Amino acid sequence: MSKSTALRASVVAGAALLLLAACAPAPEKPGATGGAEQFCARMVTNSGGLDDRSFNDASWKGMQQAGKDFGIDVDVLVSTSETDLAPNVQQAVDTGCGFILTVGYELTPATTEQAAANPDVDFAIVDDVADAPNIKPLVFDTAQAAFLSGYLAAGVSQTGKVATFGGGNQPPVTLFMDGFVDGVAKYNEVHGTAVLALGWNKATQDGVFTGDFEDINKGLTVTQGFIDQGADVILPVAGQVGEGAARAALDSGGKASIIWVDSDGYDVLSPEFRPVLLTSVLKNTGDAVVSIVKSSKDGAFDNTPYIGTLDNGGVDIAPYHDLASRVSAELGAEIDQLRADIISGAVEVTSPSAPR
């Protein structure tokens, strides 16, 4: 072969390689939506940590289920103080994953900041609304389910007094408390009774708060105070602090019972507390998380808020478990009818903290 022929062959071969390279798809960003083997998801807890037996725990179970269902890599970054929040969201972004879930209103500023800086990443936040094209809020109208629990509490109370308290005066907490006291009021309206709800005034939006979501001893002290005042059903809306309420109820020797929140306390609390657990106000966070992870993986993500209601199964109350004998057939039927009436709109549950 002559030198000129060899040169022409080399040029042709080089051109062919360049053409192939131009036609080849660009490599995907790690974690970007598009291949199940590449897509990954991360979650960041609020300062309550992972084992809060509440919405962090429920959200992580949803992430784990999504990992199992869709064969994707999931992991969690645990925050134990407010100083962990922003760095953990940054670290989640730095993994290159296509979906990041943050849990709790405390994470709204960091989530919003990172979403603006990373428009190609899908974010979702539990229990708060952040207005951004790539953030999907997961919020729950827990007042609807708490309304049922308040009606139940008034119906089983032997003392004519029930109570509720929160970890902090913030909408995701007071939403439960609004529904609870309104449910008590509804029972009084239907039955001509005067059951008193301690711990929360819906009109003034003020009541009893422990000031945090971790100190179990505060829950114990507050609940003992309510029991001393005669309350025999208590709803703590305070994460791990609620375990103190369960302890106080157990120590009361049968004088009081509690209503748990977010997850079914019968499953997530120590079995020793089952004898004092009347029911739980449920947020079906796990199923919502699974659905939204799937939408991100499939390229169908949108920022329309998910609002959990009684109608779509996003909220409800748990079974009565070991205390079922305290709930008469008549009371159980009334609660079932009340659920149906809330779903149909015949009974309206309102709260200034209700998600919209």
Side-chain angles (χ1 to χ4, degrees):
M1 180 183 293
S2 68
K3 290 184 178 179
S4 60
T5 302
L7 178 61
R8 284 197 301 273
S10 176
V11 169
V12 170
L17 287 173
L18 287 172
L19 181 61
L20 287 171
C23 294
E28 291 189 15
K29 182 181 76 173
T33 302
E37 71 282 359
Q38 294 178 324
F39 182 90
C40 60
R42 294 292 181 265
M43 176 182 130
V44 180
T45 75
N46 76 347
S47 58
L50 190 58
D51 298 323
D52 61 349
R53 294 161 178 80
S54 186
F55 65 172
N56 284 309
D57 179 50
S59 299
W60 176 232
K61 286 177 180 174
M63 289 284 283
Q64 290 176 304
Q65 188 63 50
K68 178 180 178 182
D69 289 351
F70 312 131
I72 61 174
D73 174 45
V74 300
D75 203 356
V76 59
L77 289 85
V78 178
S79 308
T80 58
S81 69
E82 289 187 11
T83 58
D84 294 334
L85 302 175
N88 278 350
V89 179
Q90 179 68 67
Q91 186 176 341
V93 169
D94 290 344
T95 64
C97 286
F99 176 82
I100 295 171
L101 175 71
T102 59
V103 184
Y105 81 100
E106 290 178 304
L107 283 152
T108 303
T111 304
T112 303
E113 179 182 357
Q114 290 295 335
N118 299 274
D120 294 332
V121 177
D122 296 335
F123 291 80
I125 186 166
V126 176
D127 265 2
D128 204 5
V129 175
D131 186 15
N134 57 332
I135 302 178
K136 188 176 186 73
L138 280 67
V139 289
F140 300 84
D141 196 350
T142 50
Q144 293 186 352
F147 193 99
L148 301 181
S149 77
Y151 195 99
L152 170 68
V156 303
S157 176
Q158 298 296 305
T159 64
K161 291 182 181 179
V162 298
T164 183
F165 70 91
N169 193 337
Q170 54 202 235
V173 173
T174 58
L175 186 58
F176 283 93
M177 299 167 81
D178 282 342
F180 181 77
V181 300
D182 280 352
V184 173
K186 182 66 174 179
Y187 183 88
N188 288 335
E189 174 191 325
V190 170
H191 291 272
T193 50
V195 178
L196 183 63
L198 306 175
W200 181 241
N201 185 317
K202 184 182 178 184
T204 64
Q205 289 289 291
D206 195 19
V208 177
F209 298 95
T210 60
D212 72 85
F213 295 83
E214 294 87 41
D215 192 337
I216 293 174
N217 286 329
K218 290 180 180 178
L220 177 66
T221 300
V222 168
T223 304
Q224 284 176 333
F226 282 138
I227 294 172
D228 290 343
Q229 294 177 68
D232 60 354
V233 184
I234 296 96
L235 170 75
V237 191
Q240 288 175 283
V241 172
E243 291 186 47
R247 174 60 61 191
L250 192 63
D251 291 347
S252 74
K255 291 181 181 179
S257 60
I258 67 158
I259 297 173
W260 196 248
V261 298
D262 290 345
S263 302
D264 190 343
Y266 198 85
D267 297 328
V268 300
L269 291 171
S270 168
E272 68 176 316
F273 296 126
R274 289 177 177 175
V276 297
L277 186 69
L278 179 60
T279 188
S280 301
V281 180
L282 303 174
K283 288 194 299 192
N284 197 357
T285 310
D287 283 354
V289 168
V290 171
S291 176
I292 292 163
V293 172
K294 184 178 188 301
S295 73
S296 179
K297 185 184 83 69
D298 292 346
F301 181 88
D302 66 72
N303 70 340
T304 304
Y306 167 84
I307 301 177
T309 64
L310 286 174
D311 189 26
N312 63 22
V315 300
D316 209 333
I317 59 173
Y320 312 129
H321 296 299
D322 294 355
L323 296 186
S325 62
R326 293 183 56 187
V327 183
S328 68
E330 293 77 14
L331 178 58
E334 287 178 35
I335 291 171
D336 289 341
Q337 183 59 53
L338 189 58
R339 180 188 292 102
D341 288 344
I342 294 172
I343 291 172
S344 72
V347 172
E348 185 179 7
V349 179
T350 64
S351 167
S353 299
R356 293 171 178 84

